[in-house]
Each structure stands twice: as structure tokens, then as C-alpha cells.
Amino acid sequence: MDLSYDLLRTFIAVAETRNFTRAGELVNRTQSAVSQQIKRLEGELCQELFARDARSVHLTPYGEAFVPHARRLIRAHEETVAALSTPDVAGVVRLGAPDDYAAFFLPGILERFASVCPLVQVEMRCCESSAALLAALDNGKLDLVIRTNVTPTVAGQTIAQEPIVWAASASHCTHEINPLPLAVFAEGCEYRAWGTQALEDIGRAYRIAYTSPSIMGIQAAITAGLAVAPIGLHSLPPGGRLLGEDDGFPQLPSVTVSLHRRTDNGGEAVDRLASYVIEAFREKRLDQPSQCNAA
């Protein structure tokens, strides 16, 4: 069975775009060449990967199941090439990220980075607001920053969109308490500002019951039934439930997640870590609770 790197890249490009022409643009091939490669891969696997009609392209159940395997094979190939081509890369890369994203994404990102650049030291700043992290980037104290904002920014590269939601314990009636007890991040956090403003707009009384610089502290208050919190959807803890308009809670904005980097680029190590950050956010969906957190 010939599962070549080129075939797998083309398959993932079609799986992501659901369009042979756009996939061809990503892999620098014509539409007909993409079609031929998919047919070749389907022949190797003896399975149809896509269902096609005049208007659209959809993954078959087998195709859906094959996507994570294809990604792993592509990743192994790219990491092998990278490790052989950058054996002497050393130094320090400084990364800033909001605490909730750091807990969810960084373990996998750092594992991949260490396998390719084992001599590079990574310094992380996580328990700070997006504004503070951007200030550190501007002052030359960070090389990369993951930030959230209500709208896309020109300065950064958009890497994801995520709904902000009201979260409460599924086994308590905390959301019915008046005034509503809230668990929030420190002053200056956008989620806190959006949540309190939304409640004020509908005339709902509330009190700040718990504050924490860490998502773990917010999740603990939710799970214990002590407070309701505005958080990113992927941070919904085990035993948590989402509150919506039927529960009397107004809709909150979605945030744009963007990656910002130092103006002088930073070199090979910064490039490599940035690429892994972008890929991690592309692979993990933020429009649904994470599988490890969902109740």
C-alpha cells in the first residue's frame, strides 16, 4: 500500500476545503491532478474517501475515519524532515497565551516542538490578559502571543473563532440564584466585561463571587455549583452545562483567536513553534466543548 506524503497532503486539502479546485491551490496542483491523486489513494485503500455530486464534495464515513490517520502520517513525515534539517537549532523561544488556551493546546504543541527542536528552551507566560501579553510582545519580552479579541485584527494572523458561553453546574440550580453569583477572571479580562455588561443590559442582578487568574479556578467554582461563568466553549468542565436564552441568559460574543509574532521574525525556532500553534488550532475545533471536558 503506497500512502505517499503527496497523496496524503492532497487528501487533507480536499477534506478541509471540500473543493478540488481550492485544494489544488493549496498543494500547487491542477483540479484534474487532485482528482487523479484522490482516485489513486482510494485505489490504494480500496475504499471511497469522498462522495461527489455536481455541487459539492463530502467525506464518506471511511474518509472521516481516515482523516486523523492521514494527519498523523503527515505529521510524522514533516517532523522527521524538520528534525534532520534543524539539528543544531538552539536558543530560547518566548510564548504568551491566555491560561485557558495554554491548558488545552500547549501540551501537544510543546511535545511536537521538542521532538524537532530539542535544544530550544521555551519560556511561557500564561496567567495574563491578552492586553498584557501584547504589551510584552511590543516591548520585546515575548516572541509569540496567542490572543483573543472580539474582531479580527490586522496585526495578527487569525487562527480560530470561538463562542463565549455561560457555564454552570449541571447538578445545581446556581443560575436561578438572585443576585447571580459569578466566577470571573481578573479586571481587564474581556470575558468578564462582556458577561457583566450583558447582565446589566437585561437588568439581571449579579455579584462577583469568585475571581481567579486561572481557568482551573473558574472551572472549580462552576463544577461545585458555586457560580456561573462566562468562558470559552472549549473550557466547559466535566459536569458543566451551557445556559442560553431559554434560561434567561443573553448571548455573548464569539472571539477571534489570533497569533502575533515579533516584528523581526525571530528565526527558525520561532517559525517552527508558530507553525505548530497554527496547526493545533486548525485541528481542534473550538465551536464545540472539548471531548475531555464535555459532560
Side-chain angles (χ1 to χ4, degrees), residues 52-64:
R52 310 165 181 83
D53 57 38
R55 295 183 178 180
S56 61
V57 177
H58 301 285
L59 285 163
T60 63
Y62 187 92
E64 290 277 7

Side-chain angles (χ1 to χ4, degrees), residues 145-149 151-153 156-160 256-260:
V145 165
I146 301 168
R147 72 159 296 187
T148 57
N149 194 48
T151 57
T153 61
Q157 177 181 356
T158 298
I159 56 178
T256 295
V257 185
S258 55
L259 180 66
H260 301 248

Side-chain angles (χ1 to χ4, degrees), residues 41-286:
L41 183 59
E42 289 176 330
E44 292 289 341
L45 297 170
C46 299
Q47 295 283 347
E48 285 192 354
L49 298 170
F50 296 98
R52 310 165 181 83
D53 57 38
R55 295 183 178 180
S56 61
V57 177
H58 301 285
L59 285 163
T60 63
Y62 187 92
E64 290 277 7
F66 184 60
V67 166
H69 298 289
R71 289 195 191 280
R72 281 196 291 270
L73 291 170
I74 291 171
R75 181 180 298 173
H77 174 93
E78 292 178 346
E79 290 180 353
T80 299
V81 172
L84 294 175
S85 62
T86 58
D88 299 322
V89 174
V92 178
V93 177
R94 301 161 301 173
L95 172 66
D99 175 67
D100 50 346
Y101 292 127
F104 188 51
F105 287 99
L106 285 190
I109 292 171
L110 295 178
E111 180 181 7
R112 293 191 62 193
F113 183 72
S115 70
V116 173
C117 301
L119 301 181
V120 176
Q121 176 185 344
V122 180
E123 294 182 359
M124 295 177 291
R125 291 173 60 170
C126 300
C127 291
E128 298 178 54
S129 68
S130 289
L133 293 175
L134 281 180
L137 182 72
D138 292 339
N139 293 332
K141 297 179 180 179
L142 289 173
D143 301 305
L144 294 168
V145 165
I146 301 168
R147 72 159 296 187
T148 57
N149 194 48
V150 70
T151 57
T153 61
V154 175
Q157 177 181 356
T158 298
I159 56 178
Q161 300 279 340
E162 180 177 24
I164 303 306
V165 298
W166 294 104
S169 168
S171 56
H172 298 79
C173 296
T174 316
H175 61 290
E176 297 177 358
I177 298 174
N178 190 40
L180 180 73
L182 288 182
V184 292
F185 293 106
E187 283 281 2
C189 172
E190 294 167 323
Y191 299 3
R192 173 176 176 156
W194 295 335
T196 55
Q197 186 62 56
L199 293 175
E200 290 170 9
D201 288 345
I202 64 170
R204 177 72 186 270
Y206 68 88
R207 66 182 182 88
I208 304 299
Y210 297 89
T211 59
S212 172
S214 166
I215 187 61
M216 293 181 65
I218 303 296
Q219 290 173 326
I222 294 170
T223 302
L226 301 176
V228 171
I231 59 174
L233 179 57
H234 81 278
S235 297
L236 183 69
R241 60 167 290 195
L242 301 179
L243 301 171
E245 293 181 352
D246 290 344
D247 304 295
F249 285 80
Q251 185 174 358
L252 295 171
S254 290
V255 294
T256 295
V257 185
S258 55
L259 180 66
H260 301 248
R261 61 187 305 158
R262 54 191 287 183
T263 55
D264 62 347
N265 194 35
E268 176 68 27
V270 174
D271 287 342
R272 183 65 59 184
L273 186 56
S275 69
Y276 289 165
V277 169
I278 293 168
E279 185 172 346
F281 274 83
R282 183 183 66 188
E283 290 183 0
K284 290 188 176 182
R285 297 182 60 181
L286 294 182

